[in-house]
Amino acid sequence: MTRRRFLLVLFFVIAMAGCSTSDSADIVVRDAWSPPTPPVTNVAAFYFTIHNLTTTADSLVGASSSSCDEMQIHESVTTDDVSSMDELLEVPIEPDGDVVFEPNGLHLMCLGLAEPVKVGDSIAVILKFERSGSLDIEVVGDDR
């Protein structure tokens, strides 16, 4: 292979790597879990921690799963001893920051759950970020 052809191939490989639509390397998700659900329910809550590895702010703007008809970002809030869940359109994630999704706080709400969540189940979820694109995660059924 000539030097010119080698450089052209190398340039093409580098350019294609920059166009990748695979999982984001800018965001890490840890400890994704869901409590088990009763057999008669068709909703579940998913919890995890998001860490932004970059020096630029990002936002979680959506999620989906083949195990749910619809997935929404929710936040549980309590005002004057009255609790409610508010749907959020996005959750900001500061540079080099963490956002914790936990009971009585932020969570993903799975609506139209296909099968009850059992301890040990693994549920594929796609998180969608404003800047970083999509990230595939596995949510595990856990009775903590």
Side-chain angles (χ1 to χ4, degrees):
M1 181 181 296
T2 67
R3 177 178 163 94
R4 182 179 181 156
R5 177 174 243 158
F6 173 77
L7 291 174
L8 184 60
V9 169
L10 181 61
F11 173 78
F12 178 76
V13 168
I14 292 170
M16 290 307 294
C19 296
S20 174
T21 59
S22 64
D23 293 348
S24 167
D26 297 340
I27 300 288
V28 173
V29 173
R30 298 184 304 267
D31 195 27
W33 69 283
S34 175
T37 59
V40 295
T41 191
N42 66 350
V43 297
F46 298 158
Y47 307 112
F48 44 87
T49 298
I50 300 173
H51 181 70
N52 181 353
L53 297 170
T54 72
T55 57
T56 306
D58 205 342
S59 294
L60 178 66
V61 294
S64 62
S65 173
S66 61
S67 297
C68 309
D69 290 338
E70 181 180 1
M71 189 158 301
Q72 298 175 351
I73 305 167
H74 281 192
E75 182 174 28
S76 296
V77 293
T78 302
T79 306
D80 298 326
D81 294 328
V82 177
S83 295
S84 64
M85 281 190 297
D86 296 335
E87 183 179 0
L88 304 176
L89 298 179
E90 68 177 324
V91 175
I93 310 160
E94 294 299 318
D96 193 33
D98 287 330
V99 175
V100 179
F101 284 62
E102 60 190 348
N104 302 312
L106 291 169
H107 58 279
L108 288 183
M109 198 73 189
C110 169
L111 305 169
L113 180 65
E115 298 278 330
V117 177
K118 297 179 190 108
V119 172
D121 283 355
S122 182
I123 302 152
V125 174
I126 301 170
L127 301 178
K128 297 170 187 144
F129 296 91
E130 182 176 55
R131 193 182 136 278
S132 299
S134 297
L135 178 64
D136 295 341
I137 67 168
E138 292 293 321
V139 175
V140 176
D142 190 329
D143 63 354
R144 50 182 94 176

